[in-house]
Amino acid sequence: MIYIIMGVSGCGKSSLGAVLSEKLGWTLHEGDNFHPQENVEKMARGEPLTDEDRLPWLLQLHEVIQRERCSGSDALVTCSALKRHYRWIMLHGAKALDQDILPPIAPDVFFLFLQGDYSLIHQRVASRRGHYMKADLLHSQFDILEPPLEEDNVLTLDISRSITDVAIEVEKHIIKFKPSPAMP
C-alpha cells in the first residue's frame, strides 16, 4: 500500500510521515527532497511555484510511487499535491498530461489529506526555522488548493487533533483496507 500524505505547507505532512514510518516500519519518501534546486531557490525567495515548476517534481514522485508499487512494498510519500491534476500526475505520470480520461486510482494507493484552518497553519509555518518555505507563500497554497474528493481514495484528517490521534485513525484505515496475507 502507498499512502500519500498531502496538504499545504505546515500542515504536518513530515511529522505524521515520521510517526507512521516508525510505527509501521514503512519507508518514508519526503517529497520536498525531490524538488529541483531551482524550485527550492524560488520558494526561498518567496516566489510561488507554477504548474511548470512543479511538473518535473511530480513526475519524480510518480516514479517513486511506481517503484514502490511494483516492488510490492508499503510506503509513505509526502507531497503538497494541492491540485487534482497534480495528484493525477503523481499517480499516472506523463499520461495525465495527454489524456482527459484516466483509469481510476489503484486500490492500493490512498491520500491522507491533512486539513486545517489558515490561522493554525500560518502560526506553525511562521514559527518553524530552517525551512525554505516561508509563511508569506502559505496564502498562495490555500488559493490553489483543490481538496480531494471521496472517489480519490482519500482519508481527510483534522490537524487540530494530536498527531497520536491522527496516526491511530490512519492505522485503523490501513487495517480496514490492507489485504490480508494469503493463508497457506
Side-chain angles (χ1 to χ4, degrees):
M1 294 183 79
I2 307 296
Y3 276 77
I4 302 168
I5 306 169
M6 62 159 291
V8 297
S9 184
C11 69
K13 297 181 295 288
S14 296
S15 297
L16 179 61
V19 167
L20 290 173
S21 178
E22 186 174 316
K23 285 183 97 168
L24 303 170
W26 292 14
T27 301
L28 172 63
H29 299 279
E30 180 62 57
D32 284 347
N33 295 339
F34 293 88
H35 269 296
Q37 187 59 35
E38 301 82 41
N39 287 6
V40 173
E41 291 169 3
K42 190 171 185 178
M43 288 184 282
R45 291 190 305 267
E47 299 174 34
L49 297 179
T50 64
D51 289 354
E52 187 177 309
D53 294 329
R54 286 184 176 96
L55 183 58
W57 174 59
L58 295 168
L59 289 171
Q60 266 203 295
L61 292 175
H62 167 73
E63 291 176 19
V64 169
I65 292 165
Q66 286 308 107
R67 184 179 67 240
E68 292 289 0
R69 288 186 69 221
C70 289
S71 72
S73 298
D74 295 317
L76 303 156
V77 177
T78 65
C79 176
S80 54
L82 298 172
K83 291 183 179 181
R84 188 164 203 233
H85 185 68
Y86 300 167
R87 296 186 290 273
W88 282 94
I89 293 169
M90 290 176 68
L91 296 173
H92 302 288
K95 286 188 264 182
L97 304 173
D98 302 331
Q99 298 178 359
D100 291 332
I101 300 173
L102 292 164
I105 295 175
D108 63 337
V109 178
F110 290 91
F111 287 94
L112 300 175
F113 176 39
L114 301 184
Q115 185 177 45
D117 70 15
Y118 180 84
S119 60
L120 171 64
I121 296 173
H122 187 272
Q123 181 181 11
R124 288 181 179 183
V125 173
S127 67
R128 72 181 174 189
R129 302 284 176 253
H131 196 280
Y132 55 81
M133 176 68 178
K134 305 299 181 218
D136 299 350
L137 290 177
L138 185 59
H139 205 318
S140 70
Q141 289 200 339
F142 270 89
D143 285 346
I144 66 168
L145 177 63
E146 296 172 1
L149 307 171
E150 192 172 318
E151 62 265 18
D152 293 330
N153 283 1
V154 64
L155 175 61
T156 300
L157 301 159
D158 178 0
I159 65 163
S160 67
R161 297 170 43 217
S162 75
I163 197 154
T164 301
D165 288 346
V166 172
I168 289 169
E169 187 173 346
V170 174
E171 288 178 292
K172 288 177 183 175
H173 189 269
I174 292 169
I175 290 167
K176 181 177 177 182
F177 287 96
K178 186 163 179 61
S180 300
M183 298 298 281

